[in-house]
Amino acid sequence: KDEAYQHKNITEKLFVLNRNIYLKQVTIKHCIFKSIGQYNILGGSLYIKTQNSNNTINNCKFQNCFSKIGGSIYIHSNHKSITILEKCIFDNNKSTEKGGSIFIFKSNEFFKTCKFIENYILYDKYQHTKKQIKTKGGGIMAYESNESFEKCIFKDNSAAYGEDIYSKRSEL
């Protein structure tokens, strides 16, 4: 089964789960995710957990989204899934721990012509010393993942470690 979301203003968190064989491909195009989240959850506006699937997020905007980990998106898979993010804008998203905009765990992502602007770990904005809190990945945090970037822009993202990207046991 495939699932597609197009030309929508998303006002509530979207869950994309593939525990067995339910979703083989998820496509999200031309959507706006704005001011969505809670500080006690994973992925402010979008939570993707898949196995053996190909996912596409194209020409979407994530703005002012927030969560505990992965301010706008939390992605978790089994290394056999791939998510392509193309022409997306991530603006002013925040988390309280890791991945100001995106947190990626055991997954494969390809970012093409995406913009990451002023994403941050919430505590960095209010503490004078970044070393007081060990926040990671103002724009993106990747853990045990494979990431590729082509023509992406990172500007004014903030975290104690990896203002734009923090990668641990990952390949960039």
Side-chain angles (χ1 to χ4, degrees), residues 1 11 16 21 42 45 81 86 109 112 114 117 121 150-152 165:
K1 180 180 177 185
T11 58
V16 177
I21 56 169
L42 304 176
S45 62
S81 293
E86 186 171 7
E109 272 66 41
K112 185 175 181 183
C114 291
I117 303 164
I121 308 301
E150 181 181 304
K151 298 181 182 177
C152 292
I165 303 170

Side-chain angles (χ1 to χ4, degrees), residues 38-52:
Q38 292 178 333
Y39 287 116
N40 61 345
I41 62 172
L42 304 176
S45 62
L46 185 56
Y47 179 93
I48 300 173
K49 185 169 184 177
T50 60
Q51 295 181 17
N52 308 325

Side-chain angles (χ1 to χ4, degrees), residues 29-92:
K29 291 183 177 182
H30 307 287
C31 292
I32 297 171
F33 296 82
K34 189 172 182 178
S35 302
I36 303 172
Q38 292 178 333
Y39 287 116
N40 61 345
I41 62 172
L42 304 176
S45 62
L46 185 56
Y47 179 93
I48 300 173
K49 185 169 184 177
T50 60
Q51 295 181 17
N52 308 325
S53 67
N54 296 314
N55 309 306
T56 302
I57 302 172
N58 185 283
N59 206 7
C60 292
K61 184 171 185 176
F62 298 84
Q63 185 175 28
N64 300 322
C65 296
F66 56 96
S67 74
K68 180 178 179 179
I69 298 175
S72 60
I73 302 174
Y74 182 95
I75 300 172
H76 179 187
S77 77
N78 64 347
H79 289 294
K80 294 180 182 176
S81 293
I82 186 165
T83 300
I84 299 170
L85 295 98
E86 186 171 7
K87 298 179 185 175
C88 292
I89 298 172
F90 299 89
D91 181 28
N92 199 43

